[in-house]
């Protein structure tokens, strides 16, 4: 006698796809995954944002008997999905904190009566006695765990409530489980599989490549002006997203774009719920709307014709960069991922990592995720290759359309310059920011140099042969390569790492990318700004918060945070 739960399939997947969802054919591995789940097997699906993960559990939910339970982390996302499904005539509902007790009871009754095909639930609701009792009374077709990286500390969005899902395999051992995420780095993947007991499940990793997205990363200054020229040149009427690090900057950039004739709205967690909803709705509805946002924006936003994603700061990890840029071009038409970043981004993200109250092991992981992204920003190779190999796809050829492919990066032998830079950092006491050290190298006569007696040092003026912009590029790359680290307690002072020793001793050759030229005036202004960057109007609130965090950290721990970075 067969297991009662392996009853025959009601409908064929392809019919469901066409009749319910109105699509012609499955994409990539969707059909395979769907067949696998319908047959009652477990699956771990790693598919990039926009790849079409939802159908991988929605179609099986309509093919198998019973109600599919979908665990989903964001309430807004849940409502959108359920609304969309209802419009297609699918019996879907959600249970979360926004429902009144009466409304929740009504949904529960419908579920027990078998009148719901997909029931979405928030993770914190899931493990409640009330919900588990409900599950005991309904016939369950499958469990789908969306955004499954939330189960992992190594993921970028850890949710402790996801840990309770470990009760699924024991309590509902006969029900297939499908976990889905766009985050595929190895530690996260392993963690998801272990926590959700999916170590024996089939893992589907489908193409992370987004061939229609062109990647460009530049490091030149006045990012707002450059953003505007980029938009006016290449996207004069398009909708897109501009990511910034601080809340204030999102508002500032939105205002600046508006002043310059581009409709733009800010979005960050500091705005009221109504404002955020309004701005999101306008972005989805209006043509050519630009949203200037912090990382708070994006999860679950389904706008196919986002033509560009711009970053005015470095995101905090390769995953974040991939997810955020992945919101461009979901319709498959050409789209741009454009980033303008600077040395100070590395400093500020390192500081944020260091001053968070996360455990040290996690900080180290985060630090490495940032390193991977800085490596991408500073690479001389094809950007696409670097991204895909990070996600475990090593077989790709240079793409031929990212900036490094179109304009191959020239490299130069920076061994001597690196030795000079590192010596100067060392001789000045490893507590000054790059801007000051560069002035020492160049033999400038500033007040700060005189006060500290740095004009008496042997390193004074040994770097006159190299122009200021190039020194700045050298320091950025030394940071990217891990030969220098930022001392977050010392407000951005840099110090040497263990790895820098062979370089200092002249035992190691250092190749660096040659940055395209930049106007001298712009460089000078940017350099001058570096020491005062922490005071910049743009980021003042951010830095205020950082300082507070740092103060708290300093009083609560006796280990200086920079130790974290010298593992
Ligand atoms: P993900 O969750 O992986 O980020 P979604 O499931 O939200 O992606 O799907 C992204 C978009 O792709 C949606 O607009 C969805 O309707 C569309 N889509 C998914 N699969 C197909 C398909 N087989 N044919 C056409 N469109 C699809
Ligand atoms: Mg999704």
């Amino acid at each position: 006698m067969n297991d009662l739960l392996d009853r025959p399939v009601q409908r064929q997947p392809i019919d469901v796809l066409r009749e319910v969802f109105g699509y012609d054919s499955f994409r990539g591995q969707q059909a395979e995954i769907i067949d696998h789940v319908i047959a009652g097997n477990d699956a771990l699906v790693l598919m990039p944002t926009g790849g079409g993960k939802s159908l991988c559990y929605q179609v099986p939910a309509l093919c198998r008997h019973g109600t599919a339970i979908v665990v989903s982390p964001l309430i807004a996302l849940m409502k959108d999905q359920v609304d969309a499904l209802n419009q297609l005539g699918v019996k879907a509902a959600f249970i979360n904190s926004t429902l009144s007790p009466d409304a929740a009871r009504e949904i529960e009754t419908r579920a027990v009566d078998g009148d719901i095909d997909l029931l979405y639930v928030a993770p914190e609701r899931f493990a409640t006695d009330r919900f588990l009792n409900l599950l005991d009374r309904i016939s369950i077709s499958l469990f789908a765990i969306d955004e499954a990286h939330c189960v992992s500390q190594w993921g970028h969005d850890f949710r402790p409530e996801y840990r309770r899902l470990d009760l699924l395999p024991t309590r509902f051992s006969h029900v297939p489980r499908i976990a889905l995420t766009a985050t595929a780095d190895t530690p996260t993947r392993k963690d998801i599989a272990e926590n959700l007991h999916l170590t024996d499940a089939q893992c589907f990793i489908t193409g992370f490549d987004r061939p229609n997205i062109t990647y460009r990363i530049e490091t030149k200054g006045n990012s707002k002006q450059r953003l505007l020229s980029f938009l006016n040149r290449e996207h004069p009427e398009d909708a897109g997203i501009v990511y910034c690090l601080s809340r204030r900057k999102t508002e500032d950039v939105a205002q600046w774009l508006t002043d310059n004739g581009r409709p733009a709205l800010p979005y960050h967690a500091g705005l009221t719920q109504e404002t955020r909803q309004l701005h999101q709705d306008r972005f989805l509805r209006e043509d050519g709307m630009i949203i200037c946002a912090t990382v708070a924006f994006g999860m679950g936003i389904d706008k196919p014709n986002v033509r560009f994603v711009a970053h005015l700061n470095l995101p905090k990890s390769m995953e974040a960069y991939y997810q955020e840029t992945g919101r461009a071009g979901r319709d498959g038409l050409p789209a741009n991922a454009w980033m303008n970043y600077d040395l100070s981004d590395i400093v500020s993200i390192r500081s944020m990592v260091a001053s968070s109250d996360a455990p040290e092991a996690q900080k180290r992981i985060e630090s490495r995720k940032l390193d991977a992204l800085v490596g991408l920003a500073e690479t001389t190779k094809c950007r696409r290759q670097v991204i895909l190999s990070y996600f475990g796809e090593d077989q790709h050829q240079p793409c031929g359309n990212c900036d490094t492919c179109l304009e191959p990066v020239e490299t130069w032998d920076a061994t001597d310059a690196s030795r000079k830079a590192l010596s100067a950092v060392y001789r000045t006491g490893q507590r000054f920011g790059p801007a000051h050290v560069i002035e020492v190298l160049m033999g400038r006569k500033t007040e700060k140099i005189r006060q500290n007696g740095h004009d008496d040092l042997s390193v004074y003026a040994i770097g006159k042969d190299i122009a200021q912009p190039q020194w700045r590029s050298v320091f950025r790359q030394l940071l990217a390569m891990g030969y220098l680290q930022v001392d977050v307690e010392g407000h951005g002072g840099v110090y040497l790492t263990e790895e820098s020793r062979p370089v200092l001793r002249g035992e190691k050759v250092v190749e660096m990318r040659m940055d395209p030229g930049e106007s001298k005036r712009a460089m000078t202004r940017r350099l001058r700004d570096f020491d005062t960057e922490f005071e910049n109007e743009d980021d003042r609130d951010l830095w205020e918060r950082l300082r507070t965090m740092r103060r708290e950290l300093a009083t609560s721990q006796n280990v200086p945070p920079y130790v974290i970075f010298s593992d």
Side-chain angles (χ1 to χ4, degrees):
M1 186 76 182
N2 278 338
D3 189 333
L4 273 177
L5 287 138
D6 287 331
R7 283 170 293 191
V9 162
Q10 280 180 310
R11 300 169 79 179
Q12 288 303 313
I14 189 72
D15 297 337
V16 170
L17 181 77
R18 289 181 180 154
E19 290 159 19
V20 179
F21 294 95
Y23 297 131
D24 287 335
S25 54
F26 287 112
R27 261 190 206 160
Q29 285 188 288
Q30 276 177 335
E32 234 178 301
I33 298 165
I34 288 166
D35 287 344
H36 183 81
V37 174
I38 290 176
N41 302 304
D42 299 335
L44 174 55
V45 174
L46 307 159
M47 199 189 275
T49 307
K53 288 185 285 298
S54 316
L55 286 183
C56 296
Y57 60 84
Q58 288 168 346
V59 173
L62 300 180
C63 291
R64 281 177 67 91
H65 291 272
T67 305
I69 307 297
V70 184
V71 182
S72 170
L74 280 183
I75 287 174
L77 193 107
M78 228 182 270
K79 185 172 168 0
D80 290 350
Q81 292 225 6
V82 167
D83 287 349
L85 287 168
N86 287 338
Q87 274 184 2
L88 297 172
V90 174
K91 290 185 271 184
F94 61 84
I95 291 191
N96 63 35
S97 54
T98 64
L99 288 190
S100 68
D102 277 349
R105 248 191 307 278
E106 192 196 315
I107 305 281
E108 285 167 12
T109 311
R110 282 181 58 201
V112 173
D113 293 344
D115 189 36
I116 292 179
D117 285 325
L118 285 122
L119 181 59
Y120 285 73
V121 61
E124 59 275 11
R125 269 295 172 113
F126 180 84
T128 60
D129 287 342
R130 188 184 174 97
F131 194 78
L132 292 173
N133 281 337
L134 173 69
L135 290 185
D136 286 338
R137 290 184 293 145
I138 63 184
S139 153
I140 306 169
S141 58
L142 60 96
F143 287 107
I145 299 111
D146 206 2
E147 313 291 350
H149 56 270
C150 294
V151 80
S152 168
Q153 304 226 27
W154 310 144
H156 49 82
D157 193 18
F158 175 52
R159 307 281 180 107
E161 315 87 55
Y162 261 66
R163 284 286 160 97
R164 293 307 318 276
L165 298 172
D166 63 357
L167 58 81
L168 289 180
T170 39
R171 202 158 161 158
F172 304 96
S173 56
H174 53 281
V175 182
R177 301 188 296 284
I178 172 171
L180 313 101
T181 177
T183 304
D185 72 310
T186 321
T188 314
R189 196 185 309 172
K190 243 184 91 213
D191 221 23
I192 296 172
E194 277 166 15
N195 275 288
L196 300 176
H197 298 258
L198 289 170
T199 36
D200 294 331
Q202 187 162 339
C203 183
F204 297 87
I205 308 184
T206 81
F208 271 77
D209 190 13
R210 296 289 308 280
N212 61 317
I213 297 182
T214 301
Y215 298 96
R216 263 189 283 171
I217 301 177
E218 50 168 61
T219 54
K220 285 182 280 185
N222 198 343
S223 49
K224 272 195 296 191
Q225 185 59 55
R226 295 194 61 85
L227 170 71
L228 187 66
S229 344
F230 160 71
L231 294 181
N232 288 345
R233 197 172 55 242
E234 300 184 39
H235 299 284
E237 289 174 344
D238 293 331
I241 309 172
V242 178
Y243 280 107
C244 310
L245 195 58
S246 73
R247 295 174 180 184
R248 173 179 292 235
K249 191 159 170 180
T250 64
E251 298 191 3
D252 174 47
V253 174
Q255 187 60 51
W256 150 267
L257 288 175
T258 309
D259 291 346
N260 284 279
R262 298 299 303 256
L265 293 166
Y267 187 103
H268 58 75
L271 298 172
T272 63
Q273 174 62 35
E274 296 80 67
T275 311
R276 270 185 287 160
Q277 190 63 46
L278 178 75
H279 290 188
Q280 175 177 325
D281 289 346
R282 288 189 60 190
F283 173 67
L284 294 177
R285 264 200 327 267
E286 294 175 25
D287 286 340
M289 182 57 81
I290 297 171
I291 197 122
C292 300
T294 61
V295 290
F297 182 79
M299 215 196 210
I301 300 292
D302 190 5
K303 183 175 169 71
N305 61 342
V306 173
R307 289 272 69 81
F308 67 87
V309 168
H311 282 93
L312 289 186
N313 298 103
L314 200 68
K316 71 182 169 90
S317 66
M318 184 74 104
E319 283 89 346
Y321 175 75
Y322 185 81
Q323 285 245 358
E324 287 157 17
T325 55
R327 292 177 183 135
R330 284 186 177 206
D331 53 10
L333 298 173
N336 275 312
W338 180 93
M339 175 155 80
N340 187 293
Y341 94 107
D342 189 46
L343 192 56
S344 57
D345 292 339
I346 308 179
V347 177
S348 54
I349 295 170
R350 286 245 189 276
S351 304
M352 282 198 275
V353 170
S355 41
S356 82
D357 48 15
E360 289 230 355
Q362 195 185 333
K363 290 183 183 182
R364 207 166 286 134
I365 298 249
E366 283 180 25
S367 189
R368 253 179 241 137
K369 285 173 186 264
L370 172 64
D371 290 344
L373 184 58
V374 174
L376 169 71
E378 296 292 337
T379 190
T380 54
K381 293 193 293 198
C382 166
R383 306 259 191 225
R384 193 181 306 275
Q385 267 185 327
V386 173
I387 295 169
L388 293 175
S389 93
Y390 179 82
F391 288 111
E393 295 186 12
D394 284 324
Q395 70 283 12
H396 293 269
Q397 296 296 308
C399 73
N401 74 3
C402 66
D403 54 356
T404 44
C405 281
L406 290 176
E407 267 181 85
V409 179
E410 281 180 66
T411 60
W412 59 294
D413 181 350
T415 312
D416 190 48
S418 302
R419 290 182 69 188
K420 285 178 176 168
L422 295 172
S423 310
V425 169
Y426 185 74
R427 295 281 168 213
T428 50
Q430 309 196 65
R431 55 200 178 86
F432 293 93
H436 176 73
V437 181
I438 290 171
E439 288 182 325
V440 173
L441 280 164
M442 301 195 67
R444 294 283 155 81
K445 293 186 172 57
T446 67
E447 192 50 40
K448 199 166 169 182
I449 286 179
R450 262 196 297 273
Q451 267 175 7
N452 288 285
H454 288 164
D455 43 357
D456 291 334
L457 297 175
S458 58
V459 292
Y460 184 70
I462 58 169
K464 279 185 155 158
D465 51 329
I466 293 179
Q468 234 178 13
Q470 215 172 341
W471 272 125
R472 199 175 163 81
S473 157
V474 167
F475 274 84
R476 212 179 50 239
Q477 295 185 66
L478 287 172
L479 279 163
M481 292 170 178
Y483 296 133
L484 281 180
Q485 288 287 13
V486 175
D487 173 1
V488 293
E489 277 293 273
H491 290 243
V494 288
Y495 65 97
L496 305 189
T497 64
E498 202 55 37
E499 291 74 45
S500 65
R501 276 170 206 235
V503 178
L504 258 178
R505 287 197 295 256
E507 293 162 7
K508 192 161 183 179
V509 174
V510 183
E511 282 280 312
M512 284 191 178
R513 60 182 283 152
M514 188 108 77
D515 282 331
E518 183 173 358
S519 94
K520 198 158 176 210
R521 229 182 47 220
M523 274 319 301
T524 318
R525 193 190 49 242
R526 213 146 57 85
L527 195 69
R528 195 192 57 222
D529 286 349
F530 185 76
D531 272 341
T532 54
E533 241 155 42
F534 302 141
E535 313 299 340
N536 269 1
E537 203 64 55
D538 283 356
D539 293 326
R540 191 169 288 161
D541 63 336
L542 177 75
W543 285 104
E544 214 28 71
R545 275 186 287 143
L546 276 180
R547 279 205 198 94
T548 317
M549 283 194 284
R550 267 191 230 133
R551 267 198 301 276
E552 282 165 8
L553 191 82
T555 48
S556 67
Q557 283 182 5
N558 41 20
V559 188
Y562 59 79
V563 171
I564 294 157
F565 298 128
S566 52
D567 59 325

